[in-house]
Amino acid sequence: MKRVAMTGVLIGACLLPVTAFGAGNVTYTNGTIQNKDFGYSVKTTAALQTAIKQDKVDVVKNKTVKTKYGTVTRSGTFSLYYKVKGKDQMLVNLNFEPKKLTKTQFEKQVGFGTYLGTKGNKTYYYVQPTEAVQGAVGKQKIADLIARDVPTMMKTFKLK
């Protein structure tokens, strides 16, 4: 019994996100999401600002999460989630690779996401969902945010 209990504790500890420098430095103020330490900012669209004010969309400060397949997200970045029953619908996830990559290198080495650029030793990109979660299926407002507002917002992404 003790062995089983310890295994559960170890598995639980391995699944907890490991927080690295920069996770708490993501801020949302007056329609702008930014991390001054990493030197990026992005302006949300009016529709996203309204959804955030109405508490329908969450701005989530990412933490570094490692899985057996590699790192999933990294601290200092953010995700936007639309609240639906069951699982929340991801609208966008900003991420980075901890090395400087050209667009061609990014396409070969990472192979997914939309390349945004580099600063220092980081290559920034974003990922959008390919399909809706069960609670979001058929909701035009969510589809519009994913198809129209998120790409418009990410065009305002700036590295300082």
Side-chain angles (χ1 to χ4, degrees):
M1 280 309 262
K2 288 182 182 178
R3 185 183 274 170
V4 172
M6 283 303 291
T7 304
V9 170
L10 289 173
I11 290 171
C14 292
L15 294 176
L16 290 176
V18 178
T19 303
F21 174 77
N25 297 328
V26 175
T27 60
Y28 173 76
T29 311
N30 299 326
T32 301
I33 303 169
Q34 65 181 349
N35 184 326
K36 290 182 181 178
D37 292 339
F38 287 7
Y40 71 77
S41 66
V42 62
K43 293 182 180 184
T44 57
T45 63
L48 283 167
Q49 288 177 34
T50 301
I52 291 168
K53 282 180 189 173
Q54 294 173 347
D55 201 32
K56 292 180 180 176
V57 171
D58 278 335
V59 179
V60 177
K61 299 174 184 181
N62 290 336
K63 296 178 181 177
T64 299
V65 178
K66 295 182 180 180
T67 68
K68 66 180 183 177
Y69 303 107
T71 302
V72 179
T73 59
R74 291 192 168 79
S75 294
T77 62
F78 69 90
S79 297
L80 295 180
Y81 285 91
Y82 196 97
K83 296 177 183 178
V84 294
K85 278 189 174 178
K87 294 182 178 179
D88 290 345
Q89 174 66 57
M90 183 184 82
L91 301 176
V92 66
N93 178 41
L94 175 73
N95 210 346
F96 68 86
E97 285 298 310
K99 55 187 168 185
K100 192 172 189 169
L101 298 171
T102 65
K103 190 170 184 177
T104 305
Q105 291 170 323
F106 171 81
E107 289 170 358
K108 288 180 183 176
Q109 292 182 29
V110 178
F112 64 91
T114 303
Y115 180 87
L116 292 169
T118 62
K119 180 175 186 210
N121 64 344
K122 293 178 178 68
T123 300
Y124 291 91
Y125 64 98
Y126 72 93
V127 179
Q128 287 186 269
T130 55
E131 60 186 42
V133 296
Q134 189 173 8
V137 173
K139 297 205 176 187
Q140 191 58 45
K141 182 176 265 186
I142 297 172
D144 289 344
L145 289 173
I146 292 170
R148 187 178 55 226
D149 290 280
V150 169
T152 300
M153 175 185 82
M154 295 312 289
K155 287 179 185 173
T156 69
F157 182 85
K158 290 183 184 166
L159 291 167
K160 298 176 186 176

